[in-house]
Amino acid sequence: MTSAFYELTVSHFLILSAALFMIGVAGVLLRRNALIVMMSIELMLNAANISVVAFSRAYAGQPEAAFQGQAFALIVIAIAAAEAAVGLAIVVTVFRSRRHSDIDRLTLLKN
Amino acid sequence: MNTSILRGLVAMAVAVLLVAIFTEPSLALAAEQTVGRDVTTYTFHNSKGVAFLFWFLAAATIGGAIFVITRRNMVTAVMGMVGTFFAIAGLFLMLYASFLAVIQVLVYAGAIMVLFVFVIMILNRPESEPWAIHGLLGKGLAAIGLLYLFKRLASLLWQVKDTHALVLAKDQLGVEVILNHADPELMSRFGGNIRNLDVGSIKEICESGLAICRDYDFGSVQGVGYTLFSDYLLPFEAVSIVLLVAVVGAIAIARPAPEAVAEVSDETPTPEPS
């Protein structure tokens, strides 16, 4: 038990990333505000980034694979920025026409 | 259906899930392998201070994330998220990804969170009912299901082994020595005390060409940039186009319409009687 506490492995980072992902999933499932749902999506993207960078560290001994995880994480950050911009624009537009951003009440396309 | 029958069914499902969690066979297997495995090969060779730093950053990450999904005030949630992002940047530093840590602070904590704060200020509408699921049973079921999923995932992830490389960074030489544990010649020569190599042995390994010795730059801007502009050139350029499309799309969506937009009601519009 103390060795698991003091001696870090790549598993520590992976389990932390899994926990962060779970919290993001809980936020998406439980919250009704569209902004909080988008923030939970950002949390999940960050969890994926942590695991990718941890694997990059674990495979640092292979020179052809050394930086691939970090390059991948950079691309994920760029995609997350684009997603946040478009998503927030949609939230603002929806709020402007409906005076709320409650995802449970946005059921115009249902049925 | 009767409410009491429904509640009984939900309670039974909760009980079955609880039993399934605590009698999970792969968990016992993972615990056994944790005790029996060779920890000297797979760890990061960190000091105790680094371990405490990791646990502090992990607690900040998880605490900030829980803050995000539980607060009713949205500005408070954004502040918790900024804390989470700073802690993640610290974790990136621990994983030798210094460039990525800087980008994390600049892009996430600097740009995306400012965007969120702007939108919250524009909307300026307090939440009336923050949670989607009513009742204690539904919440308990969701929490137990999530915990079960997390336990399955964690027991799987705990068995991930870093068998390919052991990164030994020595301050005296200023180089990073990367050993390949699959190399039989290297293992036969240094196999006994691969963990406690001194400077002479590291020089010997570097000169013999058995391991990769390079400048201490793992995670630097140079290394990441070289990978990004050689192997990942096409995704890099594709991302630039995605960002351009996102900027144009965001402006096109959020721009106020020239004529006043009619208020859309929540109800489905009833057809006009003809």
Side-chain angles (χ1 to χ4, degrees), chain B residues 54-133:
Chain B
F54 169 78
W55 290 111
F56 171 72
L57 290 175
T61 305
I62 298 296
I66 289 175
F67 215 70
V68 169
I69 69 166
T70 51
R71 290 304 103 175
R72 190 179 286 240
N73 187 350
M74 277 191 289
V75 178
T76 320
V78 167
M79 288 308 133
M81 199 153 186
V82 170
T84 301
F85 287 155
F86 272 104
I88 289 174
L91 288 172
F92 283 168
L93 282 178
M94 293 183 68
L95 290 167
Y96 289 82
S98 48
F99 176 58
L100 210 54
V102 173
I103 290 297
Q104 172 87 11
V105 172
L106 283 181
V107 174
Y108 265 120
I112 294 182
M113 283 301 106
V114 169
L115 205 60
F116 271 99
V117 171
F118 271 153
V119 171
I120 287 169
M121 298 294 173
I122 288 173
L123 302 191
N124 193 20
R125 181 60 66 94
E127 257 186 303
S128 54
E129 174 61 55
W131 300 97
I133 296 178

Side-chain angles (χ1 to χ4, degrees), chain A residues 50-68:
Chain A
I50 290 176
S51 85
V52 164
V53 175
F55 274 120
S56 160
R57 171 76 168 84
Y59 285 81
Q62 295 179 319
E64 73 275 6
F67 290 109
Q68 288 193 358

